[in-house]
Amino acid sequence: MKALIVYGSRYGSAEKISQEIGDVLRNEGVEVDLLDSRGLKKFDTSPYDLVVVGSGIKVGSWTKSALKFMENHQNDLRDKKVALFVSCTANRDEKLLKEAQEKYLDGVAEKYLINPPLATGLFGGVIDPDSKFGIMDKMILKMVKKDLESKGIDTTKPYDTRDWDQIHKWARELIKN
Ligand SMILES: Cc1cc2nc3c(=O)[nH]c(=O)nc-3n(C[C@H](O)[C@H](O)[C@H](O)COP(=O)(O)O)c2cc1C
C-alpha cells in the first residue's frame, strides 16, 4: 500500500502531525510520501491508494495551498481513499470543537471532495509565544490569549492541545478498511 500525505502548515503543527501520521503508517508497512502543499501545482497521485490532506487553521481557514491541492486534484482523488485532518486549538472547548468539525472538516469535505472522506480528524494545535507572528497575527492572538488567561492558562508558555494518542489511533484506523 502507498500513501501520500499533503499538508499546509503556517507555524509547523500540521507538518509535525503529518510526519507523525507518516511514521505510524510506515510502521504498519505502508510506503509513505510527505508533501508540503506550498507552491505545489499538479502532482501525480495515481500511485497512491490513500491520500491524507491536512492543514493548520488560522482565523477559521485552512491554508490556501492545501485547499488548492484538493481543488486541483478533485477528479484524481475521486476514487481514492481520502482522509482529512486539521490542526487547531478548537478542541479546548466542546462547543468550539463541534463548530470546528462542521466548518473545517465536514464543510471542506463537502466543498472540495467528490466522494465523502474515509475519515476526518480534528487534532489539537499549538500556540507558541516564541513563534514569529506578523502584526495581524499578534492582534488576533491578543483575543485568544485573553480567553486562555481567563481559564487560568499560562500564555507565556507554549499552549499545546495536541493528543498524540488520538493521532496515532486515527492513523492506524486509516489502513484497517
Ligand atoms: C493568528 C492565529 C489565528 C488562529 N486562529 C484559529 C482559529 O480560528 N481557530 C482555531 O481553532 N485555532 C486557531 N489558531 C490556532 C492554530 O490553529 C494552531 O496554532 C495550529 O497549531 C496551527 O497549525 P499550523 O502550525 O500547522 O499552521 C490560530 C492561531 C494563530 C497564531
Side-chain angles (χ1 to χ4, degrees), residues 9-14 56-60 87-90 104 125-126 133:
S9 187
R10 299 177 179 95
Y11 319 100
S13 173
I57 297 294
K58 178 171 146 182
V59 203
S87 170
C88 66
T89 50
Y104 308 151
V126 194
F133 295 117

Side-chain angles (χ1 to χ4, degrees), residues 87-105:
S87 170
C88 66
T89 50
N91 64 340
R92 68 183 184 271
D93 172 298
E94 274 302 315
K95 188 169 167 272
L96 289 178
L97 177 69
K98 187 172 176 288
E99 286 168 2
Q101 172 70 39
E102 286 167 8
K103 186 174 171 194
Y104 308 151
L105 290 165

